[in-house]
Amino acid sequence: QVQIVESGGGLVQPGGSLRLSCTTSGVTADSDAIGWFRQAPGKERERVACISRSDGETYYEDSVKGRSTISRDNAKNTVYLQMNSLKPEDTAIYSCAVGYDMLACVGLAMNYWGQGTQVTVSS
């Protein structure tokens, strides 16, 4: 059974930084992609960043490119999302998900989802 636990959310001022963590268990070798997604109130879920567990290939949504870094520590079964220069429009529930490959991640077609962690950017 796949389990996903996110942490690291919170309240941060505009221009600040946060590091989100996604720790997984029970993920089999045929699930290669792990991604971060977000959903703001009244809006559809959108992808933020994806990473391949096998080769570290990454993908970033344009809205966070240059401000965020996704990384993995396979020994700890953990994926991180470092977010810098945060803006109020980054406010959302951030969820981590596991899927088959990077195409699935980009297409928001992931198989397993975490509960999410709230990120609020406000002064």
Side-chain angles (χ1 to χ4, degrees), residues 27-94:
V27 178
T28 59
D30 61 353
S31 294
D32 186 61
I34 295 183
W36 282 99
F37 303 81
R38 66 186 182 185
Q39 187 167 19
K43 295 188 176 181
E44 293 187 354
R45 178 182 285 163
E46 62 175 357
R47 72 184 79 82
V48 178
C50 305
I51 190 166
S52 165
R53 294 170 66 216
S54 59
D55 64 12
E57 177 189 0
T58 58
Y59 167 89
Y60 295 94
E61 192 65 13
D62 286 345
S63 58
V64 303
K65 196 176 293 183
R67 301 189 294 124
S68 298
T69 302
I70 189 169
S71 60
R72 76 201 197 286
D73 184 337
N74 287 346
K76 296 182 178 180
N77 293 321
T78 299
V79 168
Y80 305 98
L81 180 68
Q82 176 70 44
M83 298 189 296
N84 303 319
S85 302
L86 284 162
K87 306 174 183 179
E89 51 263 43
D90 293 317
T91 296
I93 295 175
Y94 285 70

